[in-house]
Amino acid sequence: MPRDDVDRAFERVPRAPFLPAADRHLADEDHPVPIGHEQTNSQPSTVAAMVRLLDVRPGQRVLDVGSGSGWTTALLGELVGPGGRVLGVERVPELVVAAREALARLDLPWVQVRTAEAGVLGAPGEAPFDRVLVSAMAEDLPTELVDQLADGGTMVIPVAGEMVRVVRGADGVCSTTHGRYQFVPLLPP
């Protein structure tokens, strides 16, 4: 199978620096790894599937909701390149600190991780985004995140056990499902 941009991003952004030091030996394993605070660094095959569904392009503005360790945020940064911007939001301040430390080792100044604003899902003040990735399970499709999509924008989010791809077009919102997955729950910030 030919290598694509997602494969190349995985090669350039190793998982290990985004894992707790005691678990870095698990970086090449295809399973989630706990990162503390009842959160996980997602399974690499799941991350790859989500990022491929998201179809990130150079120069885009991307929102990463539930950025956790920052690994997926960094992968998205590789895909958008220096002409784009990636904003990761995470509700656990300790994970934000760890993600920033890991990101500082990479040359991705267009990638930022910050603590989610209390009571706010996503970053509506900085919308619209071309792409939104959500790495936590929602019970229902959150309209507040759909509203943060630009026209023609795409969001990938696990909802009630299924991976959902949402595209905002001129005629409204279209969503499709892409398999069953398990994630930590999407909690309010």
Side-chain angles (χ1 to χ4, degrees):
M1 185 171 178
R3 303 195 70 66
D4 64 7
D5 290 341
V6 173
D7 293 324
R8 287 185 283 280
F10 269 72
E11 290 168 1
R12 289 190 297 263
V13 181
R15 186 182 188 204
F18 294 91
L19 298 176
D23 292 325
R24 290 187 179 149
H25 67 282
L26 302 172
D28 293 331
E29 302 292 323
D30 192 30
H31 58 74
V33 175
I35 57 172
H37 310 279
E38 300 180 7
Q39 305 299 310
T40 62
N41 177 287
S42 295
Q43 180 172 334
S45 61
T46 298
V47 172
M50 292 176 74
V51 172
R52 282 189 175 97
L53 281 173
L54 199 59
D55 190 28
V56 178
R57 305 290 173 94
Q60 290 184 323
R61 289 176 35 90
V62 180
L63 175 64
D64 185 17
V65 178
S67 58
S69 70
W71 180 52
T72 303
T73 314
L75 291 167
L76 294 168
E78 276 292 329
L79 291 166
V80 301
R85 178 164 183 257
V86 179
L87 172 60
V89 292
E90 171 56 51
R91 65 179 189 81
V92 180
E94 294 85 353
L95 294 179
V96 171
V97 170
R100 286 177 176 167
E101 289 172 0
L103 282 165
R105 296 182 192 115
L106 302 173
D107 187 23
L108 300 171
W110 55 91
V111 177
Q112 175 189 12
V113 174
R114 70 175 186 219
T115 304
E117 187 180 333
V120 177
L121 188 56
E126 298 192 41
F129 295 95
D130 301 302
R131 300 290 187 265
V132 175
L133 182 68
V134 184
S135 297
M137 185 76 68
E139 291 181 23
D140 299 297
L141 184 62
T143 57
E144 57 263 59
L145 289 177
V146 174
D147 291 345
Q148 293 175 47
L149 281 174
D151 288 341
T154 300
M155 175 169 61
V156 173
I157 177 173
V159 178
E162 291 189 301
M163 192 60 65
V164 178
R165 183 174 193 257
V166 178
V167 178
R168 182 184 194 125
D171 298 333
V173 174
C174 173
S175 63
T176 54
T177 58
H178 300 270
R180 302 216 37 94
Y181 290 85
Q182 290 185 337
F183 278 83
V184 296
L186 179 63
L187 301 173

